Amino acid sequence: MDRTNWTEIEFILQGLSEYPKVEKLLFVMCLMMYLVILLGNSPLIILTLLDSHLHTPMYFFLGNLSFLDICYTSSFIPSMLIHFLSQKKTISFTRCVVQMSVSYTMGSTECVLLAVMAYDRYMAICNPLRYPIIMSKALCIQMAALSWGLGFLNSLTETILAIQLPFCGKNVINHFVCEILAFVKLACADISLNEIAIMLGNVIFLFSPLLLICISYIFILSTVLRINSAEGRKKAFSTCSAHLTVVTVFYGTILFMYMKPKSKDSAVDKLIALFYGVVTPMLNPIIYSLRNTEVLGAMRKLMRRHWFWRKG
């Protein structure tokens, strides 16, 4: 199909159309989780901007992660909620490409950002005296910009390759959202180049950051074990426990999705992919806020300030 006819192409998002009652239940669950994502990540962004005690590299990157999670989920959850309650589950070519490219950008960026956050924890624990000098505000901004830039370039490359493909036939995407691999499989042309590009992108943006994270934590563990006092070791571990938990949840679910045997019931695979996309961003603010005295203290201070302002 010619590029001039892009506006005429529509895709059908199949989701779980054969189970309408399940879709109604998913609507309620996803709506609640989306509200938790918004109400959990938004305060973290506000706190990292307003509270001077949180103007540190760790919370700067955490603010980026929270903003990323909001953007990622907002790229597909609102339209998915509408489709859960709608009989017509179609999406235009343009909207499908935008949804696909935004979510792919955010996913790629998060992989790099988690590696950057691991480097930050490595510098804080292994080089505490030089940490304030090395992790300057300028370097933090550059590292965050690099994460976003690499994620955008990866998504742009995959998207440009995908939209070059001709589409013909019914164009039914066997998913809740426009997912890039499901998208290119609908093309009536050879997609070998697209599959190679997606595979290379996964290796570069999934496993390269994971390798850097593992190396960082090997050095962190080596440094922590050399600390003589138990209190010192506990304090060192506590500064990176939240990040390590987020990495475990993020990569654990990805590896589970890739390595598990393919289910005979495609509905199971779609549900696992859906909950990976929704649950992980919901857990991030909970993990970073729970037992984090700095975040909880900043939140209480902001609430007191708001209360006094209203009283005044």
Side-chain angles (χ1 to χ4, degrees):
M1 190 171 286
D2 297 333
R3 295 193 188 104
T4 52
N5 294 333
W6 278 354
T7 54
E8 299 173 12
I9 306 174
E10 278 193 335
F11 295 93
I12 299 169
L13 296 169
Q14 189 174 17
L16 292 177
S17 303
E18 61 273 31
Y19 306 108
K21 289 184 179 178
V22 176
E23 286 201 328
K24 300 293 188 296
L25 178 63
L26 286 174
F27 171 83
V28 176
M29 292 175 64
C30 290
L31 177 61
M32 295 300 292
M33 287 190 283
Y34 183 54
L35 291 175
V36 171
I37 290 166
L38 294 178
L39 296 173
N41 285 292
S42 299
L44 274 177
I45 296 170
I46 294 168
L47 287 173
T48 55
L49 291 173
L50 297 182
D51 196 295
S52 58
H53 293 95
L54 301 182
H55 290 173
T56 62
M58 184 176 81
Y59 292 107
F60 170 74
F61 294 128
L62 176 58
N64 275 265
L65 182 64
S66 295
F67 178 69
L68 184 151
D69 284 337
I70 290 174
C71 293
Y72 171 65
T73 51
S74 297
S75 69
F76 70 90
I77 290 182
S79 62
M80 184 178 68
L81 292 173
I82 294 170
H83 286 150
F84 280 151
L85 300 179
S86 174
Q87 293 295 322
K88 187 181 180 184
K89 302 179 187 296
T90 57
I91 185 170
S92 68
F93 182 90
T94 305
R95 282 180 57 211
C96 188
V97 168
V98 169
Q99 184 184 91
M100 181 176 66
S101 60
V102 171
S103 61
Y104 208 73
T105 298
M106 299 303 143
S108 303
T109 302
E110 183 161 0
C111 293
V112 182
L113 191 60
L114 288 174
V116 168
M117 294 172 80
Y119 175 75
D120 170 65
R121 292 299 82 210
Y122 159 74
M123 291 303 304
I125 293 171
C126 299
N127 294 286
L129 298 178
R130 298 178 61 203
Y131 176 70
I133 301 169
I134 296 173
M135 296 301 292
S136 63
K137 185 178 179 180
L139 181 63
C140 290
I141 292 171
Q142 289 169 9
M143 292 173 81
L146 179 67
S147 302
W148 286 93
L150 289 174
F152 173 74
L153 285 175
N154 184 42
S155 175
L156 184 65
T157 304
E158 306 288 359
T159 304
I160 289 173
L161 288 174
I163 63 176
Q164 303 298 317
L165 297 168
F167 293 89
C168 45
K170 206 172 180 182
N171 292 339
V172 178
I173 296 177
N174 189 24
H175 211 293
F176 295 104
V177 296
C178 286
E179 194 267 332
I180 190 159
L181 193 56
F183 179 88
V184 300
K185 282 182 177 178
L186 295 176
C188 44
D190 181 37
I191 59 169
S192 302
L193 179 61
N194 300 79
E195 290 179 324
I196 291 169
I198 291 169
M199 184 186 68
L200 285 174
N202 288 342
V203 170
I204 294 169
F205 283 88
L206 280 175
F207 296 107
S208 298
L210 180 60
L211 178 63
L212 293 174
I213 291 168
C214 291
I215 292 170
S216 297
Y217 275 102
I218 288 170
F219 282 109
I220 288 170
L221 183 63
S222 174
T223 302
V224 170
L225 291 176
R226 288 201 300 269
I227 299 174
N228 293 325
S229 69
E231 188 63 30
R233 286 196 296 270
K234 183 181 177 182
K235 187 178 178 182
F237 273 125
S238 67
T239 61
C240 53
S241 59
H243 175 260
L244 194 56
T245 306
V246 167
V247 169
T248 303
V249 171
F250 181 78
Y251 277 102
T253 48
I254 289 177
L255 292 174
F256 173 76
M257 286 170 57
Y258 275 98
M259 295 176 71
K260 74 175 185 63
K262 194 165 180 64
S263 173
K264 292 180 182 179
D265 184 4
S266 64
V268 175
D269 293 322
K270 285 186 278 188
L271 285 171
I272 292 171
L274 170 64
F275 283 104
Y276 158 71
V278 179
V279 172
T280 306
M282 183 186 72
L283 290 177
N284 287 350
I286 297 172
I287 292 167
Y288 270 100
S289 300
L290 203 65
R291 295 175 62 191
N292 189 319
T293 54
E294 290 179 316
V295 171
L296 294 175
M299 198 170 293
R300 282 194 291 267
K301 192 196 304 181
L302 189 65
M303 289 173 69
R304 281 199 302 269
R305 192 182 300 168
H306 178 68
W307 185 79
F308 282 123
W309 177 79
R310 289 195 66 181
K311 288 282 283 185

